[in-house]
Structures are given as structure tokens and as C-alpha cells.
Amino acid sequence: MTKTDDIQRLEAENAALRAEVERLTIEMLRLVGRNLDLSEQLEENVELRRRTEVARDLLAANVERQRNADLQDDAQLMALIELKVENADEFRLTPEFDATALARLMGVSRERLNRLFRHQTIYRTPEAYIDNLRVLRAMRLLREKPHYNIAVVSDEAGFGNVRTLQRRMQDAIGMTPVEYRLMLTQDQ
């Protein structure tokens, strides 16, 4: 091997090394750029999480404020329910009338209504309250309209069928509608 061959070989290796350095430099710049992009995305995600936490905290505080405001209005809401539902002769309990319909009638959420009954009434649920209203209505009809048959009483009181009326009255007063009516006629 001659000196010229060695120089050419070294120049070729040097050119290959320069090309490799150039390729590595380009790859390093690409990776640095990608790293910067990922850092920006990470910062955006961290900021988004922070904002989400702030929004969650504000929402929780709002819910708590609303709950406290609701507690102050419980007596007024119960009075309004009594006025609109219990004491209104024109109000008709239908089989479709349920807790959701009561909440809609009162202009409150179902959750708010559930909370009201849980904390302010002897009834643990709006459904129990509505069932009680139906039983009371059926008892009044049995007393005041002795010519009504049990099916009509069941319908007028808002029960879906006679069997439901029988079960609810049995649970509430220990008598079926027929037994209750017989008791009323025996007392006269």
C-alpha cells in the first residue's frame, strides 16, 4: 500500500464520517424539535389539567352553595307541594304521576326533591309520599262516594289497577278497600 492509497482511504473514511456526522446532526435536530413539540404539548396538558381542577373546584363550591340555598327553601317548597298537590281539588293523580312528574311540577330537579323528602318529611322518598296521597285519596273516595266501585276508586286515586290499590291500602291501614268500606258502613 502506498501513501496515496492510505490518503485516499483516509479521505474516504473522513467523507463517510462527515456524512455520518451530518446525518446524526440532522437526526439530532429532528429529535430536539420533536422534544420541544412534546414539551409544549406537556405544558398544554398540565395547564389543561390545572384549569380542569379549578373548574371542578368551582363546580363543587357552586353545588355546595346551591345545597345550602336549597336547605333554606325546604319549608317553602314543602308548603308549595302541599298547596299544589295535597290541597288542590283540581289536581288529579294519574298512574303516570311519579317523582319525576312531581319534580317537574314543582320546578326542581329530581335530586333536589329526593333530598327534600329525605331530610324534611316522614316519607323517605317522593314515591312513598305519592303512594300515601293515592291511599288518602282512595280512602276519601270510599268514604264520600259509596256508590263508586273499587275499580273507579282505584282509577280516580291514580293507581294503575285494583290490585295495587289493595296492596297499598293493606300496607298503609291493614285493610283492603272492601274491608275499609264495610267498616265505614258498619259505623253508620
Side-chain angles (χ1 to χ4, degrees):
M1 246 186 169
T2 64
K3 209 175 195 180
T4 317
D5 288 339
D6 284 340
I7 290 175
Q8 285 178 345
R9 186 180 53 77
L10 287 174
E11 284 176 351
E13 283 178 16
N14 193 14
L17 288 172
R18 279 191 190 131
E20 183 64 16
V21 165
E22 183 68 26
R23 186 188 68 75
L24 290 173
T25 301
I26 291 170
E27 181 64 18
M28 182 182 72
L29 289 173
R30 186 187 69 76
L31 289 174
V32 166
R34 186 160 190 264
N35 192 17
L36 287 173
D37 288 344
L38 290 174
S39 293
E40 286 175 7
Q41 287 177 359
L42 181 61
E43 286 176 15
E44 288 172 5
N45 284 343
V46 167
E47 178 63 17
L48 184 60
R49 279 198 178 119
R50 187 191 67 75
R51 287 181 181 179
T52 301
E53 284 300 316
V54 167
R56 197 173 285 139
D57 291 344
L58 288 172
L59 182 61
N62 256 353
V63 166
E64 188 61 29
R65 271 196 301 278
Q66 182 64 40
R67 189 171 289 135
N68 291 338
D70 286 348
L71 290 176
Q72 295 169 0
D73 296 336
D74 280 351
Q76 291 172 333
L77 182 56
M78 270 318 294
L80 192 58
I81 289 172
E82 289 172 7
L83 184 66
K84 281 190 171 184
V85 178
E86 290 181 35
N87 300 331
D89 289 331
E90 71 277 356
F91 183 78
R92 176 148 157 48
L93 286 170
T94 63
E96 295 79 28
F97 188 78
D98 60 5
T100 302
L102 180 60
R104 195 174 25 250
L105 176 70
M106 303 314 299
V108 297
S109 70
R110 175 77 191 264
E111 178 185 304
R112 167 80 171 91
L113 194 65
N114 286 335
R115 199 170 47 249
L116 172 74
F117 278 88
R118 203 171 36 250
H119 296 296
Q120 295 292 321
T121 69
I122 60 172
Y123 310 103
R124 301 311 288 161
T125 65
E127 290 83 359
Y129 171 74
I130 293 168
D131 273 349
N132 186 61
L133 288 177
R134 287 187 173 119
V135 168
L136 291 173
R137 177 86 39 104
M139 290 171 64
R140 192 177 90 217
L141 289 169
L142 288 166
R143 236 185 0 262
E144 294 174 1
K145 310 282 186 185
H147 59 281
Y148 278 13
N149 69 34
I150 302 301
V152 172
V153 170
S154 173
D155 183 55
E156 289 286 317
F159 288 101
N161 56 58
V162 172
R163 182 68 188 126
T164 303
L165 168 63
Q166 291 171 333
R167 278 195 316 269
R168 294 295 189 270
M169 280 191 68
Q170 185 72 44
D171 292 344
I173 63 170
M175 292 184 226
T176 66
V178 171
E179 293 168 339
Y180 181 74
R181 183 174 270 165
L182 282 174
M183 181 196 72
L184 291 174
T185 56
Q186 288 173 355
D187 287 344
Q188 292 176 353

PDB file of all heavy atoms in Angstrom, residues 145-179:
ATOM      1  N   LYS A 145    -117.909   8.654  48.319  1.00  0.00           N
ATOM      2  CA  LYS A 145    -118.605   8.148  47.125  1.00  0.00           C
ATOM      3  C   LYS A 145    -118.876   6.653  47.286  1.00  0.00           C
ATOM      4  O   LYS A 145    -118.279   5.815  46.600  1.00  0.00           O
ATOM      5  CB  LYS A 145    -117.746   8.363  45.868  1.00  0.00           C
ATOM      6  CG  LYS A 145    -117.191   9.760  45.689  1.00  0.00           C
ATOM      7  CD  LYS A 145    -118.235  10.689  45.166  1.00  0.00           C
ATOM      8  CE  LYS A 145    -117.560  12.026  44.879  1.00  0.00           C
ATOM      9  NZ  LYS A 145    -118.419  13.054  44.480  1.00  0.00           N
ATOM     10  N   PRO A 146    -119.782   6.271  48.160  1.00  0.00           N
ATOM     11  CA  PRO A 146    -120.022   4.843  48.404  1.00  0.00           C
ATOM     12  C   PRO A 146    -120.563   4.106  47.182  1.00  0.00           C
ATOM     13  O   PRO A 146    -120.460   2.882  47.101  1.00  0.00           O
ATOM     14  CB  PRO A 146    -121.036   4.832  49.558  1.00  0.00           C
ATOM     15  CG  PRO A 146    -121.608   6.200  49.609  1.00  0.00           C
ATOM     16  CD  PRO A 146    -120.630   7.124  48.982  1.00  0.00           C
ATOM     17  N   HIS A 147    -121.095   4.834  46.219  1.00  0.00           N
ATOM     18  CA  HIS A 147    -121.618   4.192  45.013  1.00  0.00           C
ATOM     19  C   HIS A 147    -120.513   3.862  43.998  1.00  0.00           C
ATOM     20  O   HIS A 147    -120.756   3.122  43.052  1.00  0.00           O
ATOM     21  CB  HIS A 147    -122.707   5.064  44.368  1.00  0.00           C
ATOM     22  CG  HIS A 147    -122.206   6.430  43.987  1.00  0.00           C
ATOM     23  ND1 HIS A 147    -122.041   7.444  44.911  1.00  0.00           N
ATOM     24  CD2 HIS A 147    -121.822   6.928  42.791  1.00  0.00           C
ATOM     25  CE1 HIS A 147    -121.573   8.519  44.295  1.00  0.00           C
ATOM     26  NE2 HIS A 147    -121.442   8.232  43.002  1.00  0.00           N
ATOM     27  N   TYR A 148    -119.320   4.386  44.171  1.00  0.00           N
ATOM     28  CA  TYR A 148    -118.201   4.066  43.274  1.00  0.00           C
ATOM     29  C   TYR A 148    -117.759   2.622  43.525  1.00  0.00           C
ATOM     30  O   TYR A 148    -117.609   2.213  44.673  1.00  0.00           O
ATOM     31  CB  TYR A 148    -116.998   4.969  43.549  1.00  0.00           C
ATOM     32  CG  TYR A 148    -117.047   6.347  42.909  1.00  0.00           C
ATOM     33  CD1 TYR A 148    -118.187   6.877  42.354  1.00  0.00           C
ATOM     34  CD2 TYR A 148    -115.887   7.117  42.858  1.00  0.00           C
ATOM     35  CE1 TYR A 148    -118.213   8.134  41.786  1.00  0.00           C
ATOM     36  CE2 TYR A 148    -115.888   8.379  42.285  1.00  0.00           C
ATOM     37  CZ  TYR A 148    -117.049   8.878  41.756  1.00  0.00           C
ATOM     38  OH  TYR A 148    -117.063  10.121  41.197  1.00  0.00           O
ATOM     39  N   ASN A 149    -117.518   1.902  42.441  1.00  0.00           N
ATOM     40  CA  ASN A 149    -116.947   0.573  42.653  1.00  0.00           C
ATOM     41  C   ASN A 149    -115.436   0.708  42.849  1.00  0.00           C
ATOM     42  O   ASN A 149    -114.843   1.756  42.602  1.00  0.00           O
ATOM     43  CB  ASN A 149    -117.329  -0.403  41.530  1.00  0.00           C
ATOM     44  CG  ASN A 149    -116.667  -0.073  40.204  1.00  0.00           C
ATOM     45  OD1 ASN A 149    -115.541   0.403  40.150  1.00  0.00           O
ATOM     46  ND2 ASN A 149    -117.384  -0.346  39.119  1.00  0.00           N
ATOM     47  N   ILE A 150    -114.810  -0.348  43.269  1.00  0.00           N
ATOM     48  CA  ILE A 150    -113.383  -0.309  43.645  1.00  0.00           C
ATOM     49  C   ILE A 150    -112.507   0.047  42.440  1.00  0.00           C
ATOM     50  O   ILE A 150    -111.513   0.761  42.574  1.00  0.00           O
ATOM     51  CB  ILE A 150    -112.945  -1.647  44.275  1.00  0.00           C
ATOM     52  CG1 ILE A 150    -113.803  -1.975  45.503  1.00  0.00           C
ATOM     53  CG2 ILE A 150    -111.463  -1.626  44.647  1.00  0.00           C
ATOM     54  CD1 ILE A 150    -113.757  -0.937  46.603  1.00  0.00           C
ATOM     55  N   ALA A 151    -112.874  -0.390  41.259  1.00  0.00           N
ATOM     56  CA  ALA A 151    -112.086  -0.078  40.056  1.00  0.00           C
ATOM     57  C   ALA A 151    -112.094   1.422  39.776  1.00  0.00           C
ATOM     58  O   ALA A 151    -111.065   2.001  39.413  1.00  0.00           O
ATOM     59  CB  ALA A 151    -112.612  -0.854  38.856  1.00  0.00           C
ATOM     60  N   VAL A 152    -113.253   2.063  39.961  1.00  0.00           N
ATOM     61  CA  VAL A 152    -113.350   3.512  39.748  1.00  0.00           C
ATOM     62  C   VAL A 152    -112.530   4.243  40.809  1.00  0.00           C
ATOM     63  O   VAL A 152    -111.805   5.197  40.503  1.00  0.00           O
ATOM     64  CB  VAL A 152    -114.827   3.975  39.760  1.00  0.00           C
ATOM     65  CG1 VAL A 152    -114.925   5.483  39.742  1.00  0.00           C
ATOM     66  CG2 VAL A 152    -115.574   3.370  38.582  1.00  0.00           C
ATOM     67  N   VAL A 153    -112.621   3.792  42.051  1.00  0.00           N
ATOM     68  CA  VAL A 153    -111.832   4.396  43.128  1.00  0.00           C
ATOM     69  C   VAL A 153    -110.342   4.259  42.814  1.00  0.00           C
ATOM     70  O   VAL A 153    -109.571   5.220  42.955  1.00  0.00           O
ATOM     71  CB  VAL A 153    -112.164   3.756  44.499  1.00  0.00           C
ATOM     72  CG1 VAL A 153    -111.172   4.205  45.567  1.00  0.00           C
ATOM     73  CG2 VAL A 153    -113.592   4.082  44.906  1.00  0.00           C
ATOM     74  N   SER A 154    -109.939   3.093  42.366  1.00  0.00           N
ATOM     75  CA  SER A 154    -108.535   2.851  42.021  1.00  0.00           C
ATOM     76  C   SER A 154    -108.080   3.812  40.925  1.00  0.00           C
ATOM     77  O   SER A 154    -107.017   4.430  41.029  1.00  0.00           O
ATOM     78  CB  SER A 154    -108.362   1.401  41.557  1.00  0.00           C
ATOM     79  OG  SER A 154    -107.061   1.199  41.071  1.00  0.00           O
ATOM     80  N   ASP A 155    -108.903   3.959  39.914  1.00  0.00           N
ATOM     81  CA  ASP A 155    -108.574   4.863  38.809  1.00  0.00           C
ATOM     82  C   ASP A 155    -108.535   6.318  39.265  1.00  0.00           C
ATOM     83  O   ASP A 155    -107.593   7.053  38.957  1.00  0.00           O
ATOM     84  CB  ASP A 155    -109.592   4.683  37.675  1.00  0.00           C
ATOM     85  CG  ASP A 155    -109.244   5.540  36.476  1.00  0.00           C
ATOM     86  OD1 ASP A 155    -108.100   5.420  35.970  1.00  0.00           O
ATOM     87  OD2 ASP A 155    -110.101   6.348  36.064  1.00  0.00           O
ATOM     88  N   GLU A 156    -109.550   6.747  40.015  1.00  0.00           N
ATOM     89  CA  GLU A 156    -109.623   8.132  40.484  1.00  0.00           C
ATOM     90  C   GLU A 156    -108.476   8.484  41.429  1.00  0.00           C
ATOM     91  O   GLU A 156    -108.032   9.621  41.485  1.00  0.00           O
ATOM     92  CB  GLU A 156    -110.966   8.381  41.187  1.00  0.00           C
ATOM     93  CG  GLU A 156    -112.141   8.421  40.267  1.00  0.00           C
ATOM     94  CD  GLU A 156    -112.207   9.699  39.446  1.00  0.00           C
ATOM     95  OE1 GLU A 156    -111.981  10.778  40.007  1.00  0.00           O
ATOM     96  OE2 GLU A 156    -112.486   9.586  38.242  1.00  0.00           O
ATOM     97  N   ALA A 157    -108.005   7.512  42.184  1.00  0.00           N
ATOM     98  CA  ALA A 157    -106.925   7.761  43.138  1.00  0.00           C
ATOM     99  C   ALA A 157    -105.550   7.705  42.459  1.00  0.00           C
ATOM    100  O   ALA A 157    -104.543   8.045  43.085  1.00  0.00           O
ATOM    101  CB  ALA A 157    -106.989   6.753  44.280  1.00  0.00           C
ATOM    102  N   GLY A 158    -105.520   7.260  41.209  1.00  0.00           N
ATOM    103  CA  GLY A 158    -104.259   7.261  40.471  1.00  0.00           C
ATOM    104  C   GLY A 158    -103.487   5.962  40.526  1.00  0.00           C
ATOM    105  O   GLY A 158    -102.303   5.925  40.178  1.00  0.00           O
ATOM    106  N   PHE A 159    -104.135   4.903  40.952  1.00  0.00           N
ATOM    107  CA  PHE A 159    -103.469   3.604  40.944  1.00  0.00           C
ATOM    108  C   PHE A 159    -103.625   2.993  39.560  1.00  0.00           C
ATOM    109  O   PHE A 159    -104.631   3.192  38.888  1.00  0.00           O
ATOM    110  CB  PHE A 159    -104.067   2.666  42.003  1.00  0.00           C
ATOM    111  CG  PHE A 159    -103.700   3.056  43.402  1.00  0.00           C
ATOM    112  CD1 PHE A 159    -104.608   3.740  44.200  1.00  0.00           C
ATOM    113  CD2 PHE A 159    -102.446   2.774  43.921  1.00  0.00           C
ATOM    114  CE1 PHE A 159    -104.274   4.106  45.487  1.00  0.00           C
ATOM    115  CE2 PHE A 159    -102.106   3.139  45.207  1.00  0.00           C
ATOM    116  CZ  PHE A 159    -103.016   3.812  45.992  1.00  0.00           C
ATOM    117  N   GLY A 160    -102.655   2.232  39.151  1.00  0.00           N
ATOM    118  CA  GLY A 160    -102.700   1.626  37.824  1.00  0.00           C
ATOM    119  C   GLY A 160    -103.746   0.544  37.715  1.00  0.00           C
ATOM    120  O   GLY A 160    -104.316   0.316  36.651  1.00  0.00           O
ATOM    121  N   ASN A 161    -104.025  -0.127  38.850  1.00  0.00           N
ATOM    122  CA  ASN A 161    -105.011  -1.195  38.836  1.00  0.00           C
ATOM    123  C   ASN A 161    -105.519  -1.443  40.252  1.00  0.00           C
ATOM    124  O   ASN A 161    -104.961  -0.928  41.230  1.00  0.00           O
ATOM    125  CB  ASN A 161    -104.429  -2.482  38.223  1.00  0.00           C
ATOM    126  CG  ASN A 161    -103.182  -2.930  38.949  1.00  0.00           C
ATOM    127  OD1 ASN A 161    -103.216  -3.163  40.161  1.00  0.00           O
ATOM    128  ND2 ASN A 161    -102.073  -3.048  38.231  1.00  0.00           N
ATOM    129  N   VAL A 162    -106.562  -2.239  40.358  1.00  0.00           N
ATOM    130  CA  VAL A 162    -107.201  -2.509  41.644  1.00  0.00           C
ATOM    131  C   VAL A 162    -106.244  -3.241  42.579  1.00  0.00           C
ATOM    132  O   VAL A 162    -106.198  -2.955  43.785  1.00  0.00           O
ATOM    133  CB  VAL A 162    -108.508  -3.316  41.441  1.00  0.00           C
ATOM    134  CG1 VAL A 162    -109.086  -3.769  42.764  1.00  0.00           C
ATOM    135  CG2 VAL A 162    -109.514  -2.493  40.664  1.00  0.00           C
ATOM    136  N   ARG A 163    -105.487  -4.167  42.050  1.00  0.00           N
ATOM    137  CA  ARG A 163    -104.567  -4.948  42.898  1.00  0.00           C
ATOM    138  C   ARG A 163    -103.552  -4.039  43.593  1.00  0.00           C
ATOM    139  O   ARG A 163    -103.253  -4.232  44.768  1.00  0.00           O
ATOM    140  CB  ARG A 163    -103.853  -6.020  42.048  1.00  0.00           C
ATOM    141  CG  ARG A 163    -102.941  -6.900  42.843  1.00  0.00           C
ATOM    142  CD  ARG A 163    -103.742  -7.804  43.796  1.00  0.00           C
ATOM    143  NE  ARG A 163    -102.817  -8.497  44.674  1.00  0.00           N
ATOM    144  CZ  ARG A 163    -102.879  -8.481  45.992  1.00  0.00           C
ATOM    145  NH1 ARG A 163    -103.841  -7.840  46.603  1.00  0.00           N
ATOM    146  NH2 ARG A 163    -102.000  -9.130  46.708  1.00  0.00           N
ATOM    147  N   THR A 164    -103.040  -3.035  42.888  1.00  0.00           N
ATOM    148  CA  THR A 164    -102.091  -2.101  43.503  1.00  0.00           C
ATOM    149  C   THR A 164    -102.772  -1.331  44.627  1.00  0.00           C
ATOM    150  O   THR A 164    -102.203  -1.146  45.705  1.00  0.00           O
ATOM    151  CB  THR A 164    -101.518  -1.135  42.451  1.00  0.00           C
ATOM    152  OG1 THR A 164    -100.911  -1.892  41.409  1.00  0.00           O
ATOM    153  CG2 THR A 164    -100.479  -0.217  43.059  1.00  0.00           C
ATOM    154  N   LEU A 165    -104.001  -0.880  44.385  1.00  0.00           N
ATOM    155  CA  LEU A 165    -104.765  -0.194  45.434  1.00  0.00           C
ATOM    156  C   LEU A 165    -104.924  -1.102  46.643  1.00  0.00           C
ATOM    157  O   LEU A 165    -104.705  -0.673  47.786  1.00  0.00           O
ATOM    158  CB  LEU A 165    -106.135   0.239  44.912  1.00  0.00           C
ATOM    159  CG  LEU A 165    -107.147   0.720  45.961  1.00  0.00           C
ATOM    160  CD1 LEU A 165    -106.654   1.969  46.669  1.00  0.00           C
ATOM    161  CD2 LEU A 165    -108.503   0.952  45.321  1.00  0.00           C
ATOM    162  N   GLN A 166    -105.303  -2.348  46.422  1.00  0.00           N
ATOM    163  CA  GLN A 166    -105.488  -3.286  47.538  1.00  0.00           C
ATOM    164  C   GLN A 166    -104.195  -3.459  48.340  1.00  0.00           C
ATOM    165  O   GLN A 166    -104.216  -3.414  49.573  1.00  0.00           O
ATOM    166  CB  GLN A 166    -105.968  -4.646  47.011  1.00  0.00           C
ATOM    167  CG  GLN A 166    -107.379  -4.604  46.475  1.00  0.00           C
ATOM    168  CD  GLN A 166    -107.770  -5.881  45.760  1.00  0.00           C
ATOM    169  OE1 GLN A 166    -106.929  -6.600  45.225  1.00  0.00           O
ATOM    170  NE2 GLN A 166    -109.077  -6.144  45.735  1.00  0.00           N
ATOM    171  N   ARG A 167    -103.087  -3.646  47.643  1.00  0.00           N
ATOM    172  CA  ARG A 167    -101.801  -3.835  48.342  1.00  0.00           C
ATOM    173  C   ARG A 167    -101.408  -2.593  49.134  1.00  0.00           C
ATOM    174  O   ARG A 167    -100.989  -2.678  50.284  1.00  0.00           O
ATOM    175  CB  ARG A 167    -100.695  -4.181  47.336  1.00  0.00           C
ATOM    176  CG  ARG A 167    -100.655  -5.633  46.928  1.00  0.00           C
ATOM    177  CD  ARG A 167     -99.346  -5.996  46.243  1.00  0.00           C
ATOM    178  NE  ARG A 167     -98.886  -5.044  45.257  1.00  0.00           N
ATOM    179  CZ  ARG A 167     -99.175  -5.074  43.960  1.00  0.00           C
ATOM    180  NH1 ARG A 167     -99.924  -6.033  43.486  1.00  0.00           N
ATOM    181  NH2 ARG A 167     -98.716  -4.155  43.143  1.00  0.00           N
ATOM    182  N   ARG A 168    -101.547  -1.431  48.520  1.00  0.00           N
ATOM    183  CA  ARG A 168    -101.134  -0.185  49.190  1.00  0.00           C
ATOM    184  C   ARG A 168    -102.004   0.097  50.421  1.00  0.00           C
ATOM    185  O   ARG A 168    -101.499   0.518  51.451  1.00  0.00           O
ATOM    186  CB  ARG A 168    -101.190   1.005  48.234  1.00  0.00           C
ATOM    187  CG  ARG A 168    -100.206   0.940  47.086  1.00  0.00           C
ATOM    188  CD  ARG A 168     -98.763   1.016  47.569  1.00  0.00           C
ATOM    189  NE  ARG A 168     -97.838   1.157  46.468  1.00  0.00           N
ATOM    190  CZ  ARG A 168     -97.272   0.153  45.811  1.00  0.00           C
ATOM    191  NH1 ARG A 168     -97.521  -1.088  46.159  1.00  0.00           N
ATOM    192  NH2 ARG A 168     -96.442   0.380  44.812  1.00  0.00           N
ATOM    193  N   MET A 169    -103.309  -0.130  50.305  1.00  0.00           N
ATOM    194  CA  MET A 169    -104.177   0.094  51.462  1.00  0.00           C
ATOM    195  C   MET A 169    -103.899  -0.929  52.554  1.00  0.00           C
ATOM    196  O   MET A 169    -103.881  -0.588  53.733  1.00  0.00           O
ATOM    197  CB  MET A 169    -105.653   0.075  51.053  1.00  0.00           C
ATOM    198  CG  MET A 169    -106.077   1.395  50.440  1.00  0.00           C
ATOM    199  SD  MET A 169    -107.865   1.557  50.224  1.00  0.00           S
ATOM    200  CE  MET A 169    -108.433   1.647  51.913  1.00  0.00           C
ATOM    201  N   GLN A 170    -103.661  -2.150  52.158  1.00  0.00           N
ATOM    202  CA  GLN A 170    -103.334  -3.199  53.141  1.00  0.00           C
ATOM    203  C   GLN A 170    -102.060  -2.819  53.897  1.00  0.00           C
ATOM    204  O   GLN A 170    -102.008  -2.931  55.121  1.00  0.00           O
ATOM    205  CB  GLN A 170    -103.157  -4.555  52.432  1.00  0.00           C
ATOM    206  CG  GLN A 170    -102.934  -5.715  53.368  1.00  0.00           C
ATOM    207  CD  GLN A 170    -104.196  -6.102  54.122  1.00  0.00           C
ATOM    208  OE1 GLN A 170    -105.274  -6.175  53.548  1.00  0.00           O
ATOM    209  NE2 GLN A 170    -104.067  -6.341  55.409  1.00  0.00           N
ATOM    210  N   ASP A 171    -101.051  -2.330  53.151  1.00  0.00           N
ATOM    211  CA  ASP A 171     -99.791  -1.913  53.785  1.00  0.00           C
ATOM    212  C   ASP A 171     -99.993  -0.698  54.693  1.00  0.00           C
ATOM    213  O   ASP A 171     -99.404  -0.612  55.768  1.00  0.00           O
ATOM    214  CB  ASP A 171     -98.734  -1.567  52.725  1.00  0.00           C
ATOM    215  CG  ASP A 171     -98.258  -2.781  51.948  1.00  0.00           C
ATOM    216  OD1 ASP A 171     -98.502  -3.922  52.407  1.00  0.00           O
ATOM    217  OD2 ASP A 171     -97.639  -2.581  50.875  1.00  0.00           O
ATOM    218  N   ALA A 172    -100.831   0.244  54.255  1.00  0.00           N
ATOM    219  CA  ALA A 172    -100.985   1.509  54.981  1.00  0.00           C
ATOM    220  C   ALA A 172    -101.892   1.386  56.211  1.00  0.00           C
ATOM    221  O   ALA A 172    -101.553   1.896  57.279  1.00  0.00           O
ATOM    222  CB  ALA A 172    -101.514   2.594  54.045  1.00  0.00           C
ATOM    223  N   ILE A 173    -103.045   0.734  56.055  1.00  0.00           N
ATOM    224  CA  ILE A 173    -104.018   0.719  57.167  1.00  0.00           C
ATOM    225  C   ILE A 173    -104.408  -0.686  57.612  1.00  0.00           C
ATOM    226  O   ILE A 173    -105.227  -0.839  58.523  1.00  0.00           O
ATOM    227  CB  ILE A 173    -105.294   1.522  56.798  1.00  0.00           C
ATOM    228  CG1 ILE A 173    -106.021   0.890  55.615  1.00  0.00           C
ATOM    229  CG2 ILE A 173    -104.952   2.973  56.538  1.00  0.00           C
ATOM    230  CD1 ILE A 173    -107.396   1.475  55.360  1.00  0.00           C
ATOM    231  N   GLY A 174    -103.852  -1.684  56.956  1.00  0.00           N
ATOM    232  CA  GLY A 174    -104.148  -3.060  57.365  1.00  0.00           C
ATOM    233  C   GLY A 174    -105.488  -3.570  56.880  1.00  0.00           C
ATOM    234  O   GLY A 174    -105.999  -4.563  57.403  1.00  0.00           O
ATOM    235  N   MET A 175    -106.085  -2.902  55.909  1.00  0.00           N
ATOM    236  CA  MET A 175    -107.381  -3.316  55.352  1.00  0.00           C
ATOM    237  C   MET A 175    -107.372  -3.153  53.843  1.00  0.00           C
ATOM    238  O   MET A 175    -106.705  -2.257  53.332  1.00  0.00           O
ATOM    239  CB  MET A 175    -108.523  -2.429  55.881  1.00  0.00           C
ATOM    240  CG  MET A 175    -108.845  -2.549  57.306  1.00  0.00           C
ATOM    241  SD  MET A 175    -110.291  -1.513  57.638  1.00  0.00           S
ATOM    242  CE  MET A 175    -109.736  -0.714  59.103  1.00  0.00           C
ATOM    243  N   THR A 176    -108.155  -3.956  53.192  1.00  0.00           N
ATOM    244  CA  THR A 176    -108.359  -3.783  51.757  1.00  0.00           C
ATOM    245  C   THR A 176    -109.416  -2.705  51.571  1.00  0.00           C
ATOM    246  O   THR A 176    -110.123  -2.351  52.531  1.00  0.00           O
ATOM    247  CB  THR A 176    -108.830  -5.098  51.102  1.00  0.00           C
ATOM    248  OG1 THR A 176    -110.124  -5.412  51.614  1.00  0.00           O
ATOM    249  CG2 THR A 176    -107.848  -6.234  51.343  1.00  0.00           C
ATOM    250  N   PRO A 177    -109.599  -2.200  50.353  1.00  0.00           N
ATOM    251  CA  PRO A 177    -110.663  -1.202  50.120  1.00  0.00           C
ATOM    252  C   PRO A 177    -112.059  -1.728  50.490  1.00  0.00           C
ATOM    253  O   PRO A 177    -112.868  -0.995  51.064  1.00  0.00           O
ATOM    254  CB  PRO A 177    -110.562  -0.905  48.628  1.00  0.00           C
ATOM    255  CG  PRO A 177    -109.168  -1.261  48.263  1.00  0.00           C
ATOM    256  CD  PRO A 177    -108.775  -2.383  49.170  1.00  0.00           C
ATOM    257  N   VAL A 178    -112.323  -2.974  50.197  1.00  0.00           N
ATOM    258  CA  VAL A 178    -113.638  -3.554  50.520  1.00  0.00           C
ATOM    259  C   VAL A 178    -113.816  -3.600  52.040  1.00  0.00           C
ATOM    260  O   VAL A 178    -114.876  -3.221  52.568  1.00  0.00           O
ATOM    261  CB  VAL A 178    -113.793  -4.960  49.893  1.00  0.00           C
ATOM    262  CG1 VAL A 178    -115.049  -5.652  50.388  1.00  0.00           C
ATOM    263  CG2 VAL A 178    -113.787  -4.852  48.374  1.00  0.00           C
ATOM    264  N   GLU A 179    -112.794  -4.037  52.764  1.00  0.00           N
ATOM    265  CA  GLU A 179    -112.877  -4.094  54.226  1.00  0.00           C
ATOM    266  C   GLU A 179    -113.049  -2.691  54.811  1.00  0.00           C
ATOM    267  O   GLU A 179    -113.834  -2.497  55.749  1.00  0.00           O
ATOM    268  CB  GLU A 179    -111.622  -4.755  54.810  1.00  0.00           C
ATOM    269  CG  GLU A 179    -111.488  -6.218  54.473  1.00  0.00           C
ATOM    270  CD  GLU A 179    -110.118  -6.794  54.795  1.00  0.00           C
ATOM    271  OE1 GLU A 179    -109.138  -6.013  54.906  1.00  0.00           O
ATOM    272  OE2 GLU A 179    -110.010  -8.027  54.921  1.00  0.00           O
TER     273      GLU A 179
END
